[in-house]
Amino acid sequence: MVLRGILDRTLGGSICIRGNASITDVAKASEPNKNYQRSIIKEHKKDIVNYLEKREYLFFPEVVLSYTISEDLDNVQLSKSYSSIIETGSAKNKDIKFSVSQKTFTGKESRTPQIIYTVTIDIDVELLQKQKPLKRIDGNHRLTAAEEMSSSYEDIQIPFCIILLKQDADDEKFESVIFHNINSKGRHLTSEENLKAILNKDHFDDAELERNFSWSYVKARQLVEAIDFTYLPSIKNAFVLPGTSNQLHKRTVAIALLEFLRERSLIRKTVSIDNVLQKLNIINAIYNEEPELALSHDEGLLIAFTYYAFKQGEESNRHLSAFKNWIIHNNIHELKYIDCDSIVKIYDKVLEQKLRIFMAMPYYDDKEVDRYNEILQKAINTIIAKNPHLNLTKYPIMREEGPSIDIITNLLNNIRNCEIFIVDISENNPNVFFEYGSAHGLNKPIIVVKKADDKTKVPLDVDKNLRMKYEGHYGLEELLVERISQTVKHLGFVLN
C-alpha cells in the first residue's frame, strides 16, 4: 500500500504530509487512539455509510492522522527544529519505508524558486493484519464507515493530513491537544444553519430532497412553512434555540420531530401537514393549561408529546393528559435537556406495568361470586375509562369453597403476583382471613371492606385496621372505585 503527499506544515508549525488516497486504504492503515477518541456513534456511522453509497454530492474534509517516527526503526528522522524530515538510509523496520523527493518550481511572478517535497510511505499490507501504523485524530467515524464498505468503493478518494511526531511525552500531549482543538475550538454550525440551505427550494426540489435525505425532509419543509405561532403560542418556546431569547430553529425541530415519528412508523409518506398541525394544536392546548410546560425550551419534550398524540389515535387526548400529569408529577419538564427517545422508553415501561387485583370474599354461592366479579370489573372499567394508560386487571374471584392442594397453590400464587389485595371481612370467614394473612405477610397494599349491616365482631388483631363499610352492590362498586384509585396513586401512578 502506498500513501503519497507533499511535505507541509500545520498552523502550529508541525511537519505533516498532505495528500489524497483511497478512503478504504486510509481506513485499513489507521486506527483510533483509544486514549482520547470517543466511542463510535452507530447512527452517525450509518448516516455516513448511506452518504457514501449514494455517491451524490460526495465530499469530505481531510482526515487528520498521526505517525510516530521511531529513530531506531524507521528510515527517516525529524530534524531537531521540526522543520523537515531526514532520510537516514537504513531502517530495522522493513514493513514501512519513507522516501522523499523534491521538485523545484519557478513562478512567473516570483524570482525565488519554490521547492516542493513529496513524501511516499510504502506500507507492507501484511503488517496491516497485525497493527495499524497510523493513529486517527479526526475523521474516525468516516474511516470506520469505510471499513464496512465493499471493495467497489475503493475509488473514493479522501484528503488526509498525517502529522509526524517523535517518541516523547511532549508529542503525545501535542497529539491529544490537536484532537481537543479540532473538536472544541471552532464554532460548529448549528443544525438550523445547515438546514437553511438544505430546505431551500431554490437548491433542492422535493424529488432531490427525498432522494438525498428522506421524504421526512420534504414534509419538514412544508411544516416549517405552515407553522404560525399566532395560533400555536404556547409551544413556541420549544422552537426557540436554547441559550437565546427568541432565535427560532424551526427547521431543526421540524426535522427532529418528523424523523422521530418516521423511524417509529407512526407517520408515512402520505401524512398530511394538516394532520401534524392538528396534533400540535392539541399539544398547544395542553401547554397552555400548564405554564411550566409553556416555558419549556426543550424540543425533546415536545417531540415526546407528539409521539403519543400520534400513537394513541382516538384515545390520544386522555393519554396525553396522563403523560402530562406524569411529566409534571415527576418534574421532568425541569430537566435542562430531555432526550425524547429516553423519555418515551421510560414512559412506555410505566404503561406496561401491570396492576393486578386479587379480591377475597366469603363464599355464598356461585351467583353471588359472579355478581362480585361483575362489580369489581365495573369498578376497574370506570377507572380505566378516565385513565386508559393504566394496565389494570383482576384475578377472577374463585368459586370453589372447599380447600384442596391445587386450589390453595393457585390462590397463593395469585396473591403473591397481585399488586393490590382487596378483602371483604364480612362474617369473619376463616378462608378469607387465611388469604388476608397471606397478603399481609407479603406486604401487599390491602383494601379492607365490610358490609354495613354485618354485626359480626371483628377479631381483635385486625379490629384496629382501617376498613371501609359499604351498603349493597352499588355501594361496593363506588367504594372500590374510590379505594382502588387511591391505592394506585399510592403506588406512584398518576391518574387523570
Side-chain angles (χ1 to χ4, degrees):
M1 178 189 294
V2 174
L3 300 177
R4 184 176 291 110
I6 62 171
L7 199 62
D8 199 359
R9 299 177 74 90
T10 66
L11 187 63
S14 300
I15 291 294
C16 65
I17 302 167
R18 281 196 163 97
N20 290 277
S22 162
I23 188 171
T24 54
D25 280 354
V26 177
K28 290 175 183 176
S30 63
E31 64 182 4
N33 188 324
K34 296 180 180 179
N35 291 328
Y36 52 74
Q37 281 283 2
R38 62 181 175 177
S39 300
I40 290 296
I41 302 171
K42 292 181 180 179
E43 293 79 6
H44 184 31
K45 184 183 70 173
K46 182 180 177 182
D47 288 341
I48 295 174
V49 170
N50 292 337
Y51 174 62
L52 289 170
E53 289 177 342
K54 287 180 179 178
R55 289 178 174 261
E56 194 165 0
Y57 304 105
L58 198 57
F59 173 79
F60 274 134
E62 69 178 7
V63 296
V64 182
L65 311 165
S66 70
Y67 180 80
T68 302
I69 293 176
S70 170
E71 293 185 1
D72 296 329
L73 300 177
D74 289 315
N75 69 322
V76 291
Q77 295 180 20
L78 284 174
S79 65
K80 292 183 179 180
S81 62
Y82 281 79
S83 60
S84 62
I85 60 174
I86 304 167
E87 287 190 79
T88 59
S90 60
K92 296 179 181 178
N93 187 357
K94 304 300 181 181
D95 297 319
I96 302 176
K97 182 181 179 183
F98 289 79
S99 58
V100 183
S101 60
Q102 70 178 57
K103 190 171 183 179
T104 304
F105 295 89
T106 304
K108 293 182 180 180
E109 299 179 359
S110 177
R111 296 179 182 179
T112 305
Q114 183 180 11
I115 300 175
I116 302 294
Y117 291 93
T118 301
V119 180
T120 301
I121 308 175
D122 195 340
I123 305 173
D124 190 332
V125 292
E126 292 186 4
L127 170 67
L128 303 181
Q129 304 299 321
K130 298 177 288 184
Q131 68 181 76
K132 312 283 188 180
L134 305 176
K135 302 301 178 187
R136 300 171 188 172
I137 298 177
D138 188 53
N140 186 35
H141 277 83
R142 282 165 272 167
L143 297 176
T144 302
E147 289 174 333
E148 297 185 5
M149 307 291 287
S150 66
S151 59
S152 60
Y153 293 89
E154 290 181 353
D155 62 309
I156 297 177
Q157 298 286 302
I158 190 170
F160 65 80
C161 170
I162 304 174
I163 299 173
L164 302 177
L165 305 171
K166 289 184 178 181
Q167 283 182 312
D168 58 43
D170 286 341
D171 273 14
E172 288 181 9
K173 288 191 292 186
F174 176 65
E175 183 179 356
S176 61
V177 169
I178 293 173
F179 173 80
H180 171 76
N181 288 344
I182 288 174
N183 288 280
S184 66
K185 294 298 183 183
R187 188 187 78 84
H188 298 292
L189 281 173
T190 65
S191 294
E192 192 68 14
E193 290 168 326
N194 284 314
L195 291 170
K196 186 176 181 179
I198 296 297
L199 298 184
N200 190 327
K201 282 187 175 180
D202 295 333
H203 293 172
F204 294 93
D205 60 29
D206 288 354
E208 286 181 298
L209 202 57
E210 181 177 347
R211 184 173 65 251
N212 287 284
F213 302 97
S214 75
W215 56 260
S216 58
Y217 277 64
V218 178
K219 296 296 180 181
R221 178 157 62 191
Q222 297 171 4
L223 181 59
V224 168
E225 293 174 352
I227 287 179
D228 184 348
F229 291 116
T230 304
Y231 305 102
L232 299 169
S234 296
I235 62 171
K236 181 179 179 179
N237 278 333
F239 289 83
V240 173
L241 186 67
T244 69
S245 58
N246 57 7
Q247 184 179 341
L248 295 174
H249 63 151
K250 290 201 298 184
R251 301 173 186 85
T252 305
V253 177
I255 288 289
L257 187 152
L258 294 171
E259 281 284 276
F260 191 81
L261 298 176
R262 180 187 66 83
E263 290 169 358
R264 288 152 184 80
S265 302
L266 288 177
I267 60 171
R268 299 184 183 277
K269 184 178 177 179
T270 54
V271 67
S272 71
I273 294 304
D274 285 343
N275 189 15
V276 178
L277 289 173
Q278 181 185 20
K279 304 298 185 186
L280 291 177
N281 267 297
I282 294 172
I283 299 166
N284 182 74
I286 293 173
Y287 273 44
N288 185 56
E289 294 172 355
E290 304 292 344
E292 53 265 65
L293 294 182
L295 291 173
S296 173
H297 285 246
D298 201 288
E299 66 187 72
L301 184 59
L302 176 70
I303 293 171
F305 267 102
T306 312
Y307 169 85
Y308 287 111
F310 274 93
K311 183 179 181 181
Q312 304 301 342
E314 295 179 357
E315 294 284 348
S316 64
N317 286 357
R318 281 180 292 183
H319 277 280
L320 285 173
S321 179
F323 180 62
K324 174 202 71 176
N325 292 336
W326 180 77
I327 289 289
I328 293 174
H329 178 78
N330 294 286
N331 297 311
I332 291 171
H333 59 286
E334 295 183 5
L335 294 173
K336 289 185 178 180
Y337 170 73
I338 297 176
D339 176 60
C340 50
D341 185 57
S342 296
I343 289 297
V344 164
K345 285 179 179 176
I346 292 171
Y347 189 64
D348 279 348
K349 287 184 177 180
V350 172
L351 295 180
E352 290 170 4
Q353 283 184 278
K354 292 181 178 179
L355 287 168
R356 293 161 294 192
I357 299 172
F358 183 100
M359 185 170 183
M361 60 162 286
Y363 179 82
Y364 302 107
D365 53 49
D366 287 354
K367 184 177 180 180
E368 189 67 5
V369 171
D370 291 342
R371 184 66 178 130
Y372 270 69
N373 268 316
E374 182 182 337
I375 291 169
L376 179 56
Q377 188 59 57
K378 280 185 176 181
I380 291 172
N381 292 344
T382 300
I383 297 170
I384 291 177
K386 294 182 179 180
N387 303 278
H389 59 288
L390 292 180
N391 189 4
L392 189 61
T393 60
K394 69 173 178 65
Y395 288 110
I397 301 171
M398 299 179 67
R399 287 169 171 266
E400 291 83 4
E401 182 180 10
S404 73
I405 295 176
D406 290 341
I407 293 173
I408 293 175
T409 300
N410 185 44
L411 180 146
L412 292 177
N413 283 336
N414 290 347
I415 294 174
R416 185 180 299 108
N417 294 328
C418 78
E419 282 70 40
I420 300 172
F421 182 86
I422 302 171
V423 57
D424 187 339
I425 60 171
S426 302
E427 301 183 9
N428 290 348
N429 184 286
N431 288 341
V432 170
F433 276 97
F434 170 76
E435 296 165 27
Y436 185 5
S438 299
H440 183 76
L442 292 168
N443 292 316
K444 297 292 181 180
I446 298 174
I447 300 170
V448 183
V449 299
K450 188 177 188 293
K451 289 180 179 180
D453 60 358
D454 180 42
K455 304 302 181 181
T456 308
K457 188 176 180 181
V458 178
L460 184 63
D461 55 348
V462 296
D463 185 44
K464 294 182 179 180
N465 291 358
L466 178 64
R467 56 186 180 276
M468 309 301 295
K469 294 184 178 182
Y470 66 92
E471 294 184 2
H473 292 151
Y474 183 74
L476 177 60
E477 183 181 333
E478 285 189 326
L479 179 61
L480 291 179
V481 170
E482 176 190 346
R483 302 306 299 177
I484 292 172
S485 297
Q486 290 180 4
T487 305
V488 168
K489 288 179 182 179
H490 180 73
L491 290 171
F493 291 82
V494 180
L495 302 187
N496 292 330

